[in-house]
Amino acid sequence: LWAGTIAVTSGTTYQTISGFGAASVWDSIAILKNIAVTLWADDSGQPPASQVNGHVGLSIDRMLIDESGNANWGTEAAAATLAISQNPNMRIYASSWSPPAKWKNNNNTSGNNTGNDNGNPGTNTNQINASNYQAYANYQTSFVTAMKNTYGFTPYAVSVQNEPDYDTTYQSCLWSAAQFDTYIGTYLGPTLQTAGFTNIIMMPESFADNLNLATTTMGDANAAKYVRAIGAHLYGGGPNTIPAGYSTTAGHTVESWETEISDFAANDPSIASGLKYANQIHNCVVDHNFNAYNFWWILNLNTDNEGLYDNANPPNPTKRLFAEGNFSKFIRPGFVRIGATESPSAGVSVSAYYSSTTNKVVIVAINNNNSTQSQTINFTGLTVSTVYPWVTDSGNNLIQQSAVAVTGGSFTYTLSAQSITSFVGSTVSSGPTATPTTTSTFTFTATSTPTKTNTASATSTASNSPSRTPTASPSNTPTPTVTRTVTSTASATPTNTLVNTGTPTSTSTATSTKTTTATNSATSSPTPTATKSPTATPSPTDSLTFTSTSTISSTFTPTKTSTATWTITNSATLTSTSTRTSTP
């Protein structure tokens, strides 16, 4: 392919997307209520004219599991239920920042501020006592049960520990790989399962995407079977592709989630920051097959880049919000990443996604260049007539642009400088959308003559579903089975008249707007035996569905002789196939 050409191929498939989101942890519910529609409402299924500019449609919300030990779930649950009120299909996952202080060896939810331990806590006192594993498993399970029974939703995942390899001044707890394995396989997994919750554990949520913390658990079938997702933060490393063996050992697909990232530079609401995180989403999802991506805070409580909104009152959205929205608004949970030319031009990154359930295709193109870039997009395996571009750049915050026609499976579009553009299209079927009908009557005379074969054929143009009521007057009472093959082609709304100037006589009228093809054949059987009562007059009724240029062949195996002359008048060409079986 030449520079600037993007091949989108539905036949090449990768991971299923679980969604895109951010954390409502510690955020003000009052402020969240004012922006709830912008954040979480899902209008992706609405007609393009009804989809709202600037609404990002996050599909994941991250909440905190209270570490007090007193089951103070209400504050955090309020934000989760607010999100669900905007979109009942929201995926909520929860992380523990620390076990209750009474179960730790420092008797404090906060850490000792020793920093990164690379997953080897040693004798650091910021750890849970092994003797309290069951009590903690019961506590985390009670949280899940309360969410279901009191707040009306079951968390999609529960993370054992936020950043288990970083000792902080605030709520934290250090875990080793072996401790995770024991706790998940022997305590938390079975306790959740007994309570009716299967395979909802997330781990390890390393601050540096340290997969060494997951290796022991995911190599142990007894523990791995309880794990739904590998969570990762990207502050000190990553993203890393999780091994396929994780799913093999678990016995089910284990997802890969990026669960937190931001930065601590002075607040930058510009497109430069938006592009930074758009490229990071692309890196996680496209280059490392992540199923989900989550920014850190929705509302920043500081003055840096930790939030999708700043800390003003009311808060101001940043370009990070809309850059993530270029993915989250239309790439809904259940979409599958499909083949797309990842780097069609220098500084341009592309990915594509498709849902066979909604028949939607989404292409996200990131232009990091300071100049516009013309790109041609070719579809293979998808029939798309129109795409709608949605642009985030220095002057647009996820704004719908004019529709673009797709001709011959291709379209060309100029990406604005430093932008993220999502192209959203609906796939269409090339098959028929209507079944035309016609009614025709056949009258024919057949004389039983053993060992005699007669074939009659005709060509007609129509798209129809005739209902036929033939009347036979044989000189005996044969019982053959007749199969007729009808093939027709159509591209208009024809009217057909078939006049049998001999025997039989048929008139058929049909209306059609689509082209269909059908084929069927059969031979008459069994061989009838002539009777002594040639005056019998059977009156069989049969139904036939076909669409246009018809070829009718009938074979009578012994006992039938018939003569037919046809005059055919057509006004269009259709294609159809039908099977007719009659027993005169």
Side-chain angles (χ1 to χ4, degrees), residues 161 163-165 204-211 213 231-234:
Q161 177 62 48
E163 298 183 355
D165 48 352
E205 279 207 284
S206 161
F207 94 101
D209 193 12
N210 182 358
L211 289 180
L213 278 167
H233 299 182
L234 304 180

Side-chain angles (χ1 to χ4, degrees), residues 404-459:
V404 178
V406 179
T407 305
S410 180
F411 72 95
T412 299
Y413 192 83
T414 299
L415 304 176
S416 59
Q418 292 195 304
S419 65
I420 308 102
T421 303
S422 301
F423 300 98
V424 184
S426 296
T427 59
V428 296
S429 170
S430 58
T433 57
T435 303
T437 60
T438 187
T439 301
S440 45
T441 302
F442 282 80
T443 302
F444 64 88
T445 301
T447 303
S448 172
T449 304
T451 73
K452 191 74 170 172
T453 300
N454 180 61
T455 301
S457 65
T459 301

Side-chain angles (χ1 to χ4, degrees), residues 547-561:
T547 314
S548 79
T549 299
S550 329
T551 301
I552 307 172
S553 12
S554 59
T555 302
F556 299 78
T557 305
T559 78
K560 275 266 185 184
T561 300

